[in-house]
Amino acid sequence: MTFKEQILQGIPNELPPVKTYETQINHAPKRKEILSDAEKKLALQNALRYFEPKHHATLLPEFKAELDKYGRIYMYRFRPDYEMKARPLDDYPGKSNQAKAIMLMIQNNLDYAVAQHPHELITYGGNGAVFQNWAQYLLTMQYLAEMTEEQTLVMYSGHPMGLFPSHKEAPRVVVTNGMVIPNYSKPDDWEKMNALGVSQYGQMTAGSYMYIGPQGIVHGTTITVLNGFRKIKKSPQGSLFVTSGLGGMSGAQPKAGNIAGCVTVCAEVNPKITHIRHSQGWINEIIENIEDLVPRVKKALENKEVISIAYLGNVVEVWERFDAENLTIDLGSDQTSLHNPWAGGYYPIGFTFEESNEMMANNPQQFKEEVQKTLRRHADAINKHTAKGTYFFDYGNAFLLEASRAGAAVMNENPTLGREFKYPSYVQDIMGPMCFDYGFGPFRWVCTSGKPDDLAKTDAIACAVLEEMMQSAPIEIQQQMADNIQWIKGAQENKLVVGSQARILYADAEGRIKIAEAFNQAIAKGEIGPVVLGRDHHDVSGTDSPYRETSNIYDGSRFTADMAIQNVIGDSFRGATWVSIHNGGGVGWGEVINGGFGMVLDGSKEASRRLESMLFWDVNNGISRRSWARNEGAIFAIKRAMETQPLLKVTIPNIVDEHLL
């Protein structure tokens, strides 16, 4: 069968051969035993409803074996034989180019070079899933290939509910992930519902089909590192940045350190992902022995090298040994997946990677105790460095939250509302006041032709738009504009592409609209193929996350999620091709609500109208909320937006004199 025929087939009528379990692939760890016998029966019933009754006797023992061995039913037998990658738009079957673009984005999320655990349909973060099983993938791709532009596909946590009558202006796909009743948002609730096959953790851009590999995080990480050094008034050259994690998001850190120009040490316990990042050029060197790491770092600092070093081991060893050696760490952070601390997001010190995985599956209580013991030790080592001048920030991965729950010494001795922890989140000190409040966030695009030339052309178009805007930009956003121009000019030489021909560029609403319109005009002229627009959920407006995206909201509303819900509703009727809303994200199940979108530009007048309407709302919804929280930069930005758009009228807060209070 051809690729198109396989897509159109969906779930095959006849069972494909059983697949060999490929040991060289980076697989998800076994999930803990959490279902009762009655619930296991229910999980099997839930899985078998995708298949005709004639196959149930064959599949039942197979699915039971998967559930027993891995803690989930992935349906490995149904994994496609074709290569999983983003193909040019014309390679996909279908009646709608919008639907074809979504198929492209789904396959990119599962590309072996992109996905963390591709055979388990997990893109990043240890549990950030595109689908729960392979039947869902096959059925979704079939629906997308069949749909017209007067239908909408409804996705329930990876399950394609079906195609519903709709209209051309409606989204082609509406996605929800993990949207459970609030009282059932504890980690074990997710474990149980996911094992039952009724809910999934979509992370942010995994379950919304908008992940573009570590590049998607590199730009924001570069901005964070650069501004971290600016904050402490140090040049990156000859300075040291220490962190951990080389996964789908955290893997961006060493590349960002190189772009910023410092020495980066990034610890990772997983050998496979460490070597993958090295082969992709995201890290320069791997060191497996702490005795070798110390002299290498000292030499790099002395010579002011721009280098990234992966330490294959536990990051606590690095913090403790560098303290003993009196080796100065200028910037410090952590980007392990602590939103998922008991299922592979963070590993305890004193055990091999294999020993930890075995303990996680077979003795989860001991694993939890060892993780919490390690968190306390981790925090103690950080405290010793910060006492000597290190600037440490929480990287929005729930490090401080989980460390506090473990009883670590991370609480502020004199807490204020929103500043309960000893250390700030990077959004509080850097990204919030410098970027999000002014509307700057991770705008991204994908060239559906798959041609590197098209990506180069879009880079040039975006750069020209920004340089023109820079000439009249107010002083308040000059630095942001300059950083973004520098980024896009260096995008090609930094070899950021993994998977699809994609780019990320921090921009405000004006920049996003002007860049998108310039793309649409180039498409209309035949200079480039169609382009998919999107963004990270980690943005100005799409995410309510009290310990990350909205951690610099101090009016008491940081635990509310109105903004994220309003964002996805507003995007859906202003022209988005697909919209998504998730529980979970990068800080944990029950800790955040986040939403995203995708929009296909095809060179039409309709696309021009939609992009202006939707992108303006997508950013300014968030600026309005930040303005109402009395954030100075956001008040400036929303007043400026009202000057340019007479139909915009936003409620502005009145500021109370502190002396009166």
Side-chain angles (χ1 to χ4, degrees), residues 352-370:
T352 66
F353 185 58
E354 293 74 17
E355 288 169 345
S356 292
N357 282 329
E358 185 179 345
M359 189 197 320
M360 187 195 314
N362 300 321
N363 194 343
Q365 184 57 38
Q366 185 194 351
F367 183 80
K368 181 176 181 178
E369 290 170 3
E370 293 294 344

Side-chain angles (χ1 to χ4, degrees), residues 276-451:
I276 286 170
R277 293 289 173 247
H278 185 250
S279 67
Q280 291 173 340
W282 292 80
I283 52 177
N284 301 124
E285 295 179 13
I286 299 173
I287 292 179
E288 299 187 25
N289 191 318
I290 197 77
E291 302 299 331
D292 298 328
L293 181 65
V294 171
R296 180 67 187 95
V297 170
K298 287 181 176 178
K299 180 184 176 185
L301 291 170
E302 185 180 331
N303 296 334
K304 294 190 175 181
E305 296 177 50
V306 176
I307 190 169
S308 55
I309 301 167
Y311 174 64
L312 187 51
N314 197 294
V315 71
V316 179
E317 296 175 69
V318 179
W319 284 98
E320 290 180 343
R321 186 56 180 270
F322 283 14
D323 173 55
E325 296 281 342
N326 208 25
L327 210 166
T328 299
I329 298 173
D330 300 287
L331 287 187
S333 194
D334 182 89
Q335 214 175 68
T336 50
S337 296
L338 266 162
H339 69 278
N340 184 30
W342 324 127
Y346 184 92
Y347 281 77
I349 194 168
F351 302 88
T352 66
F353 185 58
E354 293 74 17
E355 288 169 345
S356 292
N357 282 329
E358 185 179 345
M359 189 197 320
M360 187 195 314
N362 300 321
N363 194 343
Q365 184 57 38
Q366 185 194 351
F367 183 80
K368 181 176 181 178
E369 290 170 3
E370 293 294 344
V371 163
Q372 291 191 318
K373 191 187 301 181
T374 303
L375 280 167
R376 292 192 291 271
R377 195 166 150 184
H378 194 163
D380 287 344
I382 289 167
N383 290 339
K384 289 177 181 177
H385 281 275
T386 57
K388 293 187 279 189
T390 298
Y391 175 67
F392 181 86
F393 56 89
D394 184 296
Y395 220 143
N397 64 332
F399 173 75
L400 290 175
L401 187 63
E402 286 302 332
S404 70
R405 289 169 176 169
V410 293
M411 303 311 294
N412 195 339
E413 290 181 6
N414 298 298
T416 58
L417 289 173
R419 293 278 185 167
E420 293 85 1
F421 295 120
K422 184 179 291 189
Y423 305 111
S425 84
Y426 72 117
V427 172
Q428 288 179 307
D429 271 16
I430 299 171
M431 296 302 291
M434 301 187 74
C435 291
F436 292 166
D437 284 354
Y438 288 100
F440 286 84
F443 182 52
R444 52 178 68 167
W445 64 88
V446 178
C447 297
T448 64
S449 67
K451 297 176 181 176

Side-chain angles (χ1 to χ4, degrees), residues 80 173 209 217 223 298 392 414 424 537 540 547 575 628 661:
V173 180
Y209 326 139
I217 314 300
I223 291 171
K298 287 181 176 178
F392 181 86
N414 298 298
H537 295 202
V540 179
Y547 297 107
W628 188 239
L661 293 169

Side-chain angles (χ1 to χ4, degrees), residues 584-603:
V587 295
W589 183 261
E591 302 285 357
V592 53
I593 300 295
N594 63 91
F597 76 88
M599 174 178 274
V600 178
L601 301 183
D602 58 8

